[in-house]
Each structure stands twice: as C-alpha cells, then as structure tokens.
Amino acid sequence: MSEREIEIVRDFMSALDNNEQDIYEGYLSDNFVFSGWTPRPLDRHGFLEVVHALEEGFPGLTYNLHNVLEEGENRVSATWQVTGYQSNSFIIPVLGTPPIPQTAQSISMPSENVNYILGDEKIQRIEVEQIYGGGIKGLIAQLGIDIPIIQ
C-alpha cells in the first residue's frame, strides 16, 4: 500500500499546484483535518476555504513538494516550500481576515515539514510542523500586512 499512498499525496499536491479543484477535493476524506499551518485545526470545509482564497490571491501558488517518504502504514512525510506572486486581493473568512489588498509581492516561505495520514485511499489529516515564519501568519507577514487572525 505504501507506494499507493505516496502516489496519492503526490497527485493531490500536483492538483493543488495546478488549481485543479475537482481533482484535489476528491482526495480528501469527509472527516479531513488540517493542522499546524493555521492558528487552529480546520475541517475539510475550512481547509478548502483557505485553499480557494489563496488560489484567488496567488493564482500561481506552488507548494514545491519534495522529500516524500513513507513513514509507516497510512503515513507519508514530506517537505513543502510555498512560493507565489500575489496578483489579486483575497479574504479568508474562516480565519476572520479582512480583505487582504493586492500587494504585487512575491512570497517564498521557509521549508515546512508535513505529515499526511491516509485511510481508504483518501487523505484524512495534513499536519504541518510549525516553524518561525511559516504558516498562514508567515505568508501574510511576507506581504507586509499586519492583520489579526482568529485563533
């Protein structure tokens, strides 16, 4: 099963990189949880809201997935390094952000370690290890914007 799980993670992240919403949404389980990158864990709906908002603001946002390894049954680890250019304003209601104006800034986030937990050929959890300058707070800070984000 391990090769299949790595393939699922790679295909999911490739679809995210290419803004293929109908494809990447199909890889997420109904009880999906995303944690570490946002101030509080998000369910499937909240995660997709964040992804859609980022796609709006950064149409070419890339996650640059690498170091993809099997870490035991149903678990894959990887590293991503998010980059992009903000060409539009955006808002992330689930995080309580005000509209974030278009800044025409490029972002290059620090590399972040990510764990994917899978089951029944779906991604059940994505856990991002928190690091200084990472996550949604680091992304918004790179735009030079100081806004509160709901905890």
Side-chain angles (χ1 to χ4, degrees), residues 37 63-67 78-83 108-114 128-135 142:
W37 209 74
Y63 292 84
N64 301 299
L65 189 72
H66 54 284
N67 298 336
T79 304
W80 70 29
Q81 199 256 323
V82 180
T83 60
S108 182
M109 303 291 293
S111 291
E112 297 169 293
N113 294 323
V114 186
V128 183
E129 293 180 21
Q130 295 180 338
I131 60 166
Y132 179 77
Q142 282 197 17

Side-chain angles (χ1 to χ4, degrees), residues 1-6 8-9 69-77 115-125 127:
M1 180 83 175
S2 61
E3 286 297 317
R4 178 66 183 137
E5 290 168 340
I6 288 173
I8 288 168
V9 168
L69 302 168
E70 178 201 358
E71 294 292 343
E73 193 169 335
N74 299 329
R75 188 175 195 92
V76 173
S77 70
N115 290 301
Y116 299 82
I117 290 79
L118 294 92
D120 298 324
E121 304 244 330
K122 301 269 187 180
I123 298 171
Q124 295 178 335
R125 296 184 69 89
E127 302 166 343

Side-chain angles (χ1 to χ4, degrees), residues 34-49:
F34 179 67
S35 64
W37 209 74
T38 51
R40 59 182 165 76
L42 299 175
D43 63 10
R44 185 179 195 276
H45 176 79
F47 171 76
L48 291 173
E49 185 177 291

Side-chain angles (χ1 to χ4, degrees), residues 21-42:
Q21 180 177 344
D22 54 329
I23 296 174
Y24 65 69
E25 287 186 7
Y27 282 105
L28 301 177
S29 70
D30 291 340
N31 62 345
F32 173 80
V33 175
F34 179 67
S35 64
W37 209 74
T38 51
R40 59 182 165 76
L42 299 175

